[in-house]
Amino acid sequence: MGALAEILFGGLFQGSLYAMMAVGLALVWTTIGVFNFSHGVFMMLGAYLAWQLVAFGLHPAIAFPLAILATAGVGWLLQATVVRPLIGRANLVLVVVITTLAAGSLIENGVLTIWGPRSKQLPPLLAGNTMIGSIGVSLHQIAIIVVTPLILWALWMFLTRTRIGLALRAVAQNEDASQLVGLNVTALYGLAFAIAAALACIAGIFMGGYRFMSPVMGADPLLKALIVVVFGGISSISGPIFAAYLIGFFEAACSYYFGLYWTPALLFAVLILTLMVRPEGIFTSRGRGLA
Amino acid sequence: MTDMNKRVSGAPGRTSWQREAVGFVLGLAVLAMLPLVFTDSYSRHILIMAFIYAMVASNWDLSLGYGGVFNFGHLALFGIGVYAYALLTKLAGMDPWVALVASGVVATLAAVIVTIPILRLKGIYIILVTFGFAQLVMQIIISQSDITGGTQGIVRIPGLYIFDHNMVRDGKIGYFGIALTLLALSTIFLRVLVRSRIGASIVALRDNEEYAISRGVSLVRQRMITLAASAFFTGVAGAFYAAYQRNASIDVFGMSLATIVLSMVLLGGTGTIYGAVIASFVLTVFAEAMADFGAWRPMITAVLIILVMLVYPSGLVGMIQAAWGGLGGRLRRPT
């Protein structure tokens, strides 16, 4: 019983973080058709901005939303400078990989220069600990588990119920047709990047609340998000969300039964096997679409 | 990827091989003269590192530029070369020269293994799987710390030797010679390959997969050949790096090294081989010239990479061609 509770809780917690990161990656891929390798850096930058605002004396309830907005702005800016000018290039995917990597390196070193290498920590969403059955958990973790589905649900509603959200999905499905019916495709590209950056910032705030922050803290979550989108299929939003939780549970079970060291290796082995059998991911049909 | 660099590498054999051979020998002669100008061991160290980067980057150009296969595990092949050499010489007690070649073979085998899952995949999925492969290799090395030293790495790896000559003596002239020889061999191998019928079929698969297959080009076989061929000298370069540095660490699997080498390939202009070699020199020397800037160095490098990508889509080779017109660029013009 203890084992099951531990795996369930660990899986839900890790899955929430992965889902938060992976959805942003998938959002950018589906709308623009590029892979944003600075997504992990967005997460790190968001956490540092939040930390700085809290250090200025702002209450987290004000500081965190401000940090999310600021990170969204950086996301929009990055899109305008290193992605949009390249649209239309024959080797777009590859060139954007290198420009977003370079931009990520720029931001990462900038953060290192401004805030230094000393570890920092954010205030948790909720302070304190509690017991669930026989396992001890922090309220911060519980808050993450509860808040994440709400945010994802809000994103889902935005994409399926609002005009702008529908426009984003239209661009994802057929860019030329969207342009023909008068949608501002350029602005929607910027919006997709901004939303993705905002989601990454939220993940950064989650992570900064229970672990020490460092300028390279985004690298590992980016990697996990990559696995999640491969596993769940990159061409939708719901696929990666399911996959994020599935991988969260898989990891929790692996580290419980086989130990922490073997978990990443097992995860990658499963990933490669999955791709050999179902290259388009396990939760999707073929084709691109934001749903 | 379909019509990428068609202008540059679309027609193998455009430059006659005699003309290219003259250019190659001239370039090699210039490089071989460099130790006469740079006599201190520090400058030569920079050159040796540039040769190693040039090998890795130009071999990556074979799979990425010619094959159009986004192999993001290329640096893992380099890392496999590093660790294969370290383990073969230190644990198995193999002769360093034999181990140098054996490491290339090990990297080639690893490339064949990673090719299997990507045979059915395209574009972004190849990036993700090969990226995953690189991480898998790194995780295995970390978790098998009894043999590989884990995150501590391996130190005191046996170096290369020529009779009783101390390779580090005389401003590392011995290592300089070996590095240049390896780069020359690797470049000849790559150029002969891309100018051959196999090279033409690899480019054909990149440019129009359906048509190439319908004309009897085997996707499975050519993709195997592309990745395996790009792996051998990459593994040898890794082994040489291990022998030269005399230590191995998991840093070779990190994103920062991959970013630098990838920018060498893309800055040079893909599908040229020579472009990657030139860009490796430019970037390595540039990084050294910027050493005084400290923390600003990676930021300036990042900005420059972005600027070149925005302004010159075909990379440094395209820039040189544009600048020199038909005159000086003639010898350097690839294929």
Side-chain angles (χ1 to χ4, degrees), chain B residues 45-131:
Chain B
H45 166 71
I46 307 297
L47 288 170
I48 292 170
M49 289 312 291
F51 291 156
I52 295 175
Y53 282 138
M55 278 173 82
V56 181
S58 57
N59 276 281
W60 203 349
D61 191 22
L62 175 65
S63 57
L64 194 71
Y66 285 90
V69 181
F70 297 168
N71 176 17
F72 268 52
H74 190 75
L75 261 293
L77 300 173
F78 177 75
I80 286 169
V82 169
Y83 273 89
Y85 178 86
L87 295 178
L88 285 173
T89 52
K90 216 177 165 191
L91 285 182
M94 195 184 264
D95 181 87
W97 287 102
V98 180
L100 190 74
V101 179
S103 304
V105 175
V106 173
T108 310
L109 289 176
V112 169
I113 293 172
V114 75
T115 312
I116 296 169
I118 64 168
L119 283 175
R120 286 177 61 201
L121 304 180
K122 280 185 182 173
I124 192 78
Y125 288 102
I126 294 182
I127 295 186
L128 298 173
V129 173
T130 49
F131 194 72

Side-chain angles (χ1 to χ4, degrees), chain A residues 29 35 82 86 89-91 97-98 101-102 106 109-110 113 223 226 230 234 262 264-265 268 272 275-277 279, chain B residues 1 3-4 72 117 120-121 124-125 128-129 131-132 135-136 139 144 255 262 266 298-299 302 306 309-310 313:
Chain A
W29 169 260
F35 221 79
V82 306
L86 299 164
R89 291 266 178 90
N91 50 351
V97 168
I98 194 75
L101 270 177
L106 181 69
N109 284 290
T113 312
L223 188 64
L226 284 172
V230 173
I234 195 172
W262 277 106
F268 283 113
I272 288 171
L275 277 164
M276 287 175 73
V277 184
Chain B
M1 247 356 245
D3 54 357
M4 174 177 175
F72 268 52
R120 286 177 61 201
L121 304 180
I124 192 78
Y125 288 102
L128 298 173
V129 173
F131 194 72
Q135 295 299 320
L136 179 64
Q139 296 295 345
Q144 298 303 301
M255 275 313 280
L262 183 61
L266 295 181
M299 286 191 255
I306 293 172
M309 293 324 299
L310 289 178

